[in-house]
Amino acid sequence: MKFAIITHVPHIHEENQYYAYAPYVREMNIWEKYVDEITIVAPLVKKERTAIECVYKHPIIKLKVIPDFDVLSIVAVLKTVLKLPKLIWIIFQTMRQTDHIHLRCPGNVGLLACFVQILFPNKIKTAKYAGNWDPKSKQPWSYCMQKWILNNSFLTRNMQVLVYGEWQNQSKNIKPFFTATYSELEKTTFVPKESKSKINFVFVGTLVKGKNPLYAIQLVERLHRNGYNVYLDLYGEGVERSILEKYISDQQLDEFIQLRGNQKKEVLKTAYQQSHFVVLPSLSEGWPKAIAEGMFWGCVPLATNVSCIPNMLEDGRRGVILKMNLDYDSLQVKTVLENQNIFDTKSCKALEWSQKYTLEIFENEIKKIIHADSSTN
């Protein structure tokens, strides 16, 4: 089977191998076990590899390079218009020559691909919608357009759209899905984490306004001012780093709050194992991997009421749903900290729920999708 991936994720070419954002590549390496050859349509960038990029494992991979583009300014829109014919032609040709079309959405490239795939109603197609599928959420028009096209079973045929969460009134195209990081062999039994002395918080995500790392810092700062022995490690990089560094310095928080930068999967695993809470006060999410990963190791999740997070946290029974009000949220966390039984219950429920979603189960579900599509071809 010829398998085509169409994505906005930037790729790096180094020593005859292709690298990209590690969580995405690890997932695609699972899909690729069940296909014969891969064509990737994506931007190519020249930069040094970092800890958050890893390599594709498939032996037969071809990259069709497309220029990066956006519509964030008038100049950018004009440049994009000039690039459109080439972009559309590359996507069209790739779809025509492949057996299975796989779209990565939402994104600028995904939006174009959503339109082009309409021309191939008989091709086998899947789409991974990694953003918030909640129909009631406020999102950019381009995201709403992608969701509408993918959900429309007249325009989009022979397609399985993998989305996070279960939502009412969706078309036959939509398939609730999940993602995973850890294997069955890594599962552990619940061991209570003592929460009366040093209390560790961990934030894992891009340092951008949408992820609200500053709020995570301010929440831990509030707990520290109230006499709790709390520590926060933030893992990730982003445009907000300098702002966070200044805030930590100005408020003299560096003794208990540290920016750790991008780190490998093994470092993050240790951080989760040593933490009591995983915090992600994000404005929008699909499946927040940092929350699911922390829960796998018994961290009590602190997260906002977006996307499928209420379901993940069982409406607060296995975590704390943040209201983005420091007074209210710090009081919620204090209630958990001051009652070991409440903490243990939430920690145990978090671990038990997350450990249902292992890599083996994830791979088995992908295998079912590929084999089902192959049998109908």
Side-chain angles (χ1 to χ4, degrees):
M1 176 192 289
K2 295 179 179 179
F3 188 78
I5 306 165
I6 302 170
T7 177
H8 62 280
V9 175
H11 285 58
I12 300 169
H13 189 216
E14 187 178 295
E15 297 179 351
N16 294 320
Q17 292 183 307
Y18 292 104
Y19 296 79
Y21 180 57
Y24 150 78
V25 174
R26 290 192 195 104
E27 179 183 326
M28 296 320 305
N29 282 338
I30 294 174
W31 286 82
E32 292 167 3
K33 290 181 181 180
Y34 304 100
V35 301
D36 300 312
E37 57 183 85
I38 312 293
T39 300
I40 306 168
V41 176
L44 183 68
V45 295
K46 292 182 179 180
K47 68 166 194 170
E48 293 291 326
R49 268 195 302 124
T50 69
I52 62 168
E53 279 112 16
C54 70
V55 67
Y56 287 92
K57 294 181 179 179
H58 200 281
I60 305 175
I61 290 183
K62 179 181 179 181
L63 180 68
K64 289 190 176 181
V65 179
I66 56 172
D68 200 4
F69 66 98
D70 63 66
V71 291
L72 300 178
S73 67
I74 294 176
V75 174
V77 169
L78 292 174
K79 289 182 178 179
T80 297
V81 169
L82 295 175
K83 295 174 183 177
L84 275 179
K86 181 179 180 180
L87 285 162
I88 294 172
W89 178 249
I90 291 173
I91 294 171
F92 175 84
Q93 284 288 77
T94 302
M95 290 185 177
R96 186 178 66 83
Q97 295 166 0
T98 197
D99 299 314
H100 185 132
I101 299 166
H102 182 72
L103 311 185
R104 305 297 295 193
C105 299
N108 293 332
V109 177
L111 177 59
L112 284 180
C114 282
F115 283 108
V116 179
Q117 62 82 26
I118 296 172
L119 303 175
F120 299 93
N122 297 320
K123 290 274 188 179
I124 297 168
K125 290 173 280 187
T126 50
K128 175 66 176 291
Y129 193 90
N132 183 359
W133 191 261
D134 184 355
K136 297 178 181 178
S137 63
K138 293 182 180 180
Q139 298 185 31
W141 70 268
S142 61
Y143 285 25
C144 294
M145 178 64 73
Q146 288 170 73
K147 290 165 68 176
W148 181 78
I149 295 172
L150 292 172
N151 197 28
N152 188 310
S153 56
F154 176 77
L155 293 177
T156 301
R157 304 190 182 193
N158 210 21
M159 168 79 85
Q160 290 191 74
V161 185
L162 311 181
V163 307
Y164 297 134
E166 297 188 16
W167 310 100
Q168 294 181 344
N169 303 319
Q170 301 300 298
S171 76
K172 64 180 181 179
N173 289 358
I174 308 306
K175 181 180 176 65
F177 216 63
F178 63 98
T179 191
T181 302
Y182 303 113
S183 72
E184 289 284 338
L185 294 175
E186 294 174 282
K187 289 171 67 172
T188 60
T189 56
F190 174 70
V191 177
K193 297 182 177 183
E194 198 276 317
S195 61
K196 293 297 182 183
S197 54
K198 180 182 178 183
I199 306 156
N200 293 321
F201 291 71
V202 62
F203 170 100
V204 178
T206 311
L207 304 182
V208 294
K209 286 185 178 180
K211 297 287 185 181
N212 271 323
L214 181 59
Y215 189 83
I217 291 172
Q218 291 171 332
L219 180 60
V220 173
E221 177 189 8
R222 176 68 65 92
L223 294 168
H224 175 79
R225 305 289 188 212
N226 289 337
Y228 293 91
N229 189 24
V230 290
Y231 293 81
L232 170 65
D233 288 310
L234 296 99
Y235 292 89
E237 292 289 354
V239 295
E240 294 283 298
R241 182 179 180 112
S242 60
I243 295 173
L244 302 179
E245 288 175 332
K246 185 177 188 304
Y247 185 87
I248 292 170
S249 176
D250 290 348
Q251 303 300 318
Q252 300 179 337
L253 311 179
D254 52 291
E255 288 187 3
F256 61 96
I257 296 179
Q258 295 290 326
L259 299 175
R260 303 293 185 183
N262 289 331
Q263 299 292 340
K264 293 183 178 180
K265 176 184 174 183
E266 293 75 18
V267 175
L268 297 180
K269 176 179 173 180
T270 300
Y272 292 130
Q273 290 172 330
Q274 295 176 349
S275 294
H276 298 83
F277 295 91
V278 56
V279 54
L280 189 66
S282 186
L283 296 178
S284 182
E285 286 291 333
W287 177 281
K289 288 191 72 173
I291 292 298
E293 289 170 357
M295 292 170 74
F296 194 97
W297 302 109
C299 294
V300 173
L302 312 176
T304 41
N305 184 18
V306 295
S307 186
C308 59
I309 288 176
N311 178 261
M312 295 174 73
L313 273 59
E314 199 182 6
D315 294 320
R317 293 178 182 86
R318 47 180 171 247
V320 173
I321 296 179
L322 299 174
K323 302 293 186 182
M324 301 306 290
N325 177 294
L326 280 174
D327 291 332
Y328 182 86
D329 290 338
S330 61
L331 185 61
Q332 287 196 94
V333 178
K334 287 179 192 178
T335 301
V336 178
L337 284 174
E338 292 173 0
N339 190 315
Q340 189 70 40
N341 288 334
I342 293 177
F343 178 87
D344 289 345
T345 299
K346 290 182 183 292
S347 176
C348 183
K349 284 180 177 289
L351 179 144
E352 290 175 347
W353 177 85
S354 187
Q355 291 193 1
K356 295 177 183 177
Y357 300 99
T358 61
L359 285 169
E360 288 81 1
I361 294 172
F362 183 63
E363 180 169 347
N364 190 53
E365 291 300 312
I366 289 174
K367 187 177 179 180
K368 288 179 185 177
I369 292 169
I370 296 266
H371 286 178
D373 288 342
S374 299
S375 64
T376 58
N377 191 23

